[in-house]
Amino acid sequence: GIINLVGALGPELAFDALWYHLTIPKLYIQEGEIFFIPGNLLYYSAMPKLIEMLYIPALALGGEVAAKLIHFSFGILTLFVLYKLSRLFLSKTFSLLVLAVFYSNLVVAWQSTTAYVDLGRTFFEVLALFFLVSYFKNKKDSTLTKSAVSIGLAISSKLLAIGSLLVFTVVLLLNSVRISRVIKFSLIAILIPSPWFIFSYISTGNPIYPLFTEIYRVGPSVSISNILNFVRSPDPISPIYLIVLPLVIVTYKEFDNLLKVVAIYSFLSFLIWFVTPQTGGGRFIMPYLPAFSILAVSAVNYSKNIFIKKYLIALIILISISTLIYRGAANAKYVLVLLGIESKHEFLSQNLNFDFGDFYDVDDYFKNNIGPNDKVLIYGGHNLFYVNFPFIHESWVKPDDKFNYVMTQGVDLPERFSDWSLVYENITTHVKLYRKP
């Protein structure tokens, strides 16, 4: 947690955060309203954005670090819920081991240092699972309602969680829950994010825009190679799940009924992830890792072979230590900034990826030359969070918009601006600035 906190306290570098998770809330603040942003850059502005809504006050009051700390906190909150869930099946010691398995995933450690939304979704999904298992234990309708609300909040955080609603529905049906209760569960879960669906439909005519449009052509990905994402993903999943899988299968018959609910949920969740577009690497399966972690440790706990049990426990600890070392090395770059030895300006100038469309005013030219009454039309560029001057992007510019500068990043100047004068160029950031004659 301390190692991850170091990364969370540093300036944001992550691609999607600089692309839209932080940029969209920043534009909302600048315009004073929540609105749909048309075009082929910030098309995610029509999708559910519960976590981004939390980033609005964070950016207004504390900048991107405050937003990163919110996402980091969702990781910590997930541990609390996961511990409570684990204690329904395991001792205190083995429940803590579950937390070690989950939190030592490199994808979890990396996500804890960013202003993404996936840890928010993970928190709400494990909360939904906790209430679901509790419902099967106490049979209280109010507990099932809490589970439905939680999965609705997960969908509000990330649209892909609709797949998890299908998983919960099937689990309820397999456990002979009355159809009326299953329908009520689903309706409540859909009701929670419904304002976002209405917002999207009014703005685009599609309640789940940009899905099923030309802008977002990615479809289901059904391939046996998807399993390799457990090990080959840029943000890898812990190998412990695959290592312990045979033991889970062998000990399954010894699980009690509540633990079998978690096992069925895990299997169905894996199937949903298996057909999900693999554009998000390990973070798309991250909401299901808490359940996988419980199964893995439960299988170890149920093992009758003392050697295997000790070996697997030692392996879990070794993986945790290796993650700590790896993320410690990755987050070491933030230390000089946190100590005040290196300025944020120097850090961003050296660590942003300008070849991938990040923007930053490395030499303060825009700060010193673009005033509040100017406006810059941007062509190219992709991750615009650090743009700190009045701008419009080519993807949402309107015919009546006024601007007196044109900036290009990594693209050629459109022909219609051929008579505009080049006033600034930066080879490092691939930026060129033109002024109206």
Side-chain angles (χ1 to χ4, degrees), residues 238 307 329:
S238 173
F307 171 78

Side-chain angles (χ1 to χ4, degrees), residues 385-400:
F385 174 71
Y386 288 118
V387 173
N388 286 319
F389 49 82
F391 79 98
I392 320 168
H393 191 265
E394 59 170 307
S395 63
W396 68 79
V397 64
K398 298 188 290 292
D400 58 345

